[in-house]
Amino acid sequence: MRGAGKERFTVVGQPLPKIDAWAKVTGETRFADDLSLPRMAYGKLLRSPHPHALIRRIDTARARARPGVYGVLTGFDLPRVKFGILPVSQDEEALCTEKVRMVGDAVAAVAAVDEETAERATELIDVEYEVLPPLMSIEDALGRPEVRIHEYGDGPNVHKAVSLEFGDVESAFARADLVREDVFYFEGNTHLPMEQHCALALWGPDGKLTLWSSTQTPHYVHRLLGRILDVPPAHIRVIATPNGGGFGGKLDPFAHEIAACKLSQVIGRPVKITLTREEVFYVHRGRHPVLMWVRTGVTRQGEILGMHFRTWLDGGAYGSYGVASTFYTGALQTVTYRVPAYKFEGARIFTNKPPCGPKRGHGTPQPRFALECHLDKIAGELGLDPADMRRRILAEPFTKTANHLTVTTIGLGECIDRVVLASGWRDKVGQLPPGRGIGIACSSYLTGAGSAIYWNDMPHSGVVVRADRSGGVAVLCGAIDVGQGSDSILAYLVAEVLGIDPKDIRVHAADTDLTPVDLGSYSSRVTLMCGNAAIQAAERLRGLLLGTVAAKLGVAAEALAARGRRIGLPDDPDRSVSFAEAVVLAESIHGVLAVPGSYAPPKRAGKYKGGGVGPSPCYSYTACVVELEVDRETGGVRIDDVWIAHDVGRALNPLLVEGQVEGSVYMGIGEALMEEQVFRKGLHKAPSLLEYKSPTTLETPEIHTILVETDDPEGPFGAKEAGQGPLLPVIPAIANAVHDAIGVRIDEIPITPDKILKALARKREGKPARIGPERLPRFAFPAPRLVESAFGQPADRVAARPFQGGAGGPP
Amino acid sequence: MPKTLLRLSVNGEDHDLAAAPHKTLLEVLREEMGLTGTKHGCELGECGTCTVLVDGRPVLSCLALPIELEGRAITTVEGLASAGRLHPLQQAFAELGAAQCGYCTPGILLTARALLADNPRPTRQEVREALAGNLCRCTGYTKILDAVELAALRCAGGA
């Protein structure tokens, strides 16, 4: 079916409602905090008020004595095993025993008859702290090596330092017509899902544990609980509940999940812990603040000859996904444009702030902002139109990049052409009245990380499709829908293959007892990986059905089609049976019809340390144009229109793809103009939905979405990701439009009114009209690992991947 | 704290229940009445997630005390459909993909219903202004605005 035109599809490509739309508009969807169980207790965590302190003593006696309190835990009641999402960063305790490293670190947990009693009881826990100097910035942390936040890493308060060089960057600079250097800063910000995290644990009298949690990664939580609680993993069941938004904020295992489990064991009741909004701000794991330096050598036409990129990440108090985040700040620069020689140095620094981790675009929005503003400045210096320059220097499809990433289809040229046309770019750039501006930027993003967070040879995604004698079909998959519509995509794909209606399908998701493993709802991997597994399972089932019906009709199976809930000869309705009849016939011969599908990405990681971060089966591409107005009196920015074209490979449901693009644009606008996770003496400056500014309907402009289809050979029916990539170009497009409007460069995100006014004042005074970092940390990166550049090498059109053959399926 | 007896009219039915007088309407709806369709985003009156209607007006249930609402008509998302028929807003939200994660959806549906009751054919800007107090992190609001406009059109018999 690959390569087939849209007319071949009946479900794919249709703007159908999501299969769970009805539950969501009636309030029937049960999020974690909507669950309750008989005899359920409510849990609360006591959190550190200090950003950095040793714990000298914890006394829980007064809390235990309070009426209504069922149990109190400290870290001494838990196995003393540190954990972390990445095997290389096992540095967290659910309840700290020796040291707290941030305001908000949990030190004790209470279960009580109600939430209020639990909260009052946490106030009765006496903790004696010995306060240590807090390190609140990269400069602080590097400047005070005698104060150590952790005892591990690549140097005092250095979590990770990496250095890679692909090809000879210096000689590329020597050949360049122009070599330009720029420095940028991207302040941290947070995911802010509307649902606060919640976990409900039931440790049964049989010694088995069930956890319902608003997690994006039930499989990783399952693995972790098996390691750090006194219960074999085989006796643990993790059920992810529909996420009320995640954006990466529910990807780590969290203290409240572990505490709920242990409290349930201790008190013999189900325990629910729901975080407050303030706690969600401290739990964080969001966008890293990143300081960036970039030097690029180009020809007069803007062709890139070599690029050197440096990043310093403010990681916060724990490792989280930070090693991956660090590599991601350097991995994808090469996927968008031709970069023959590339050098990347990155360092993640520990500070006494909530840990940063993966937020939509994981580690790539910050360098994307830097790179796209840097290119705009280069275009300005060369006197080139920034859209035309980008159009000329695009990466080549089906080649490898300098850093050994395999790129398949690239629809970016069409994306640029279409936003340029739709926005009226040529009549506007440099020609709008003072105060009005237009800007462009491009980007690319993964469609699923090529490597799991722990090395193994098993599928990244599994699906079981089970046909019922009624003609109904159940789809079992470990992925949790976080609002992006993954359940619906599974239903559409299976319906397409089996020739039935999505309504005939029920999706049962994210239950580690019932569903095959999916690694989680992150890295834009679910549509591609679960989708391919679902197609494989459905095709195997279809094979059984067609074979059985062919035998009954006395025709060849190849002559049959599954369409309109019937299986038979496509042009002879009399020689066909209903789907339900086909199931009965097939089950009579083959027995139970429950068929697996598996997916693992092609193994294409570069053979160098760090080569595991960046590879993906394919990459999405986006181009974005923003038109805005800057109020030169107030410094306020009003965005009027956003035109965005996204290469999604194939839009399996254009309505859902548009929704992902629009949501990404919205989130990009929030990051560009207002959202920031900043601290004063260890305390979050804005830990509420009122103080932490995010765009409302009034700040969100009209968004003009254009979908570009490239039918990628790696994707399910050609599809690539849509949930993260479209965020990336929005931020630099805004920064570039601000420059077009008022002739100042704000090289620091967010672009707030105070920065604009300051830059305008500098411009009036004849000083450089730029706001941004003035200096870089004193930091010696390790000597670079020298790797041959793979730039321009041809890539296979169709890559072999594991589990592709018939093995694992039914006979 | 001792509980107080309350009679609340929710979705057209009277309910007698006992709750501590400081419990918010949000807590009573969710925890005492099992109406978990009403969600919480901040419990400080900042995000609009917990919006319900009281006598047809949008009210933040996290800031409202049931003890003050006896005799008033409270509508939650569970009361939006009647006799198994979805409200045109619900239908439009489902059809146009205006609910992604769906967590803010109940509050937005009720706010939009109050808008359409007052102003059956709002302009897009009027829809924006009416919904400015309801945060959504998924959709970028575009499909929400589209869905409210479609529902308004259908209510007016236009589509």
Side-chain angles (χ1 to χ4, degrees), chain A residues 75-90:
Chain A
F76 296 98
D77 302 309
L78 289 162
R80 302 289 299 281
V81 187
K82 288 197 175 182
F83 65 89
I85 186 71
L86 296 188
V88 292
S89 306
Q90 302 287 301

Side-chain angles (χ1 to χ4, degrees), chain A residues 40-56:
Chain A
M40 184 174 83
Y42 294 82
K44 275 279 167 199
L45 301 179
L46 175 67
R47 294 179 183 273
S48 164
H50 302 293
H52 200 190
L54 297 174
I55 298 169
R56 286 300 176 210

Side-chain angles (χ1 to χ4, degrees), chain A residues 669-742:
Chain A
I669 290 170
E671 296 194 31
L673 296 182
M674 61 190 89
E675 296 186 32
E676 50 185 341
Q677 176 102 334
V678 287
F679 297 82
R680 185 191 290 128
K681 295 180 181 171
L683 290 173
H684 198 301
K685 279 170 105 171
S688 75
L689 290 174
L690 190 64
E691 299 159 287
Y692 182 93
K693 301 297 179 199
S694 65
T696 73
T697 50
L698 298 177
E699 288 82 34
T700 309
E702 290 300 320
I703 300 164
H704 312 280
T705 302
I706 299 161
L707 302 182
V708 168
E709 298 194 324
T710 45
D711 194 13
D712 196 278
E714 299 296 330
F717 297 128
K720 309 196 237 185
E721 76 89 37
Q724 305 192 64
L727 178 146
L728 302 167
V730 176
I731 301 163
I734 290 171
N736 291 337
V738 166
H739 176 254
D740 187 54
I742 54 172

Side-chain angles (χ1 to χ4, degrees), chain B residues 26-84:
Chain B
L26 171 70
E27 291 168 316
V28 168
L29 288 171
R30 288 178 55 83
E31 292 163 21
E32 307 295 334
M33 303 181 69
L35 293 173
T36 53
T38 304
K39 309 300 178 195
H40 54 81
C42 66
E43 303 192 53
L44 292 168
E46 298 173 346
C47 67
T49 303
C50 68
T51 304
V52 300
L53 300 183
V54 175
D55 295 337
R57 308 301 315 153
V59 164
L60 300 173
S61 65
C62 72
L63 298 183
L65 291 176
I67 204 162
E68 296 178 330
L69 297 173
E70 287 187 293
R72 314 277 293 277
I74 298 165
T75 307
T76 70
V77 69
E78 289 91 346
L80 208 44
S82 54

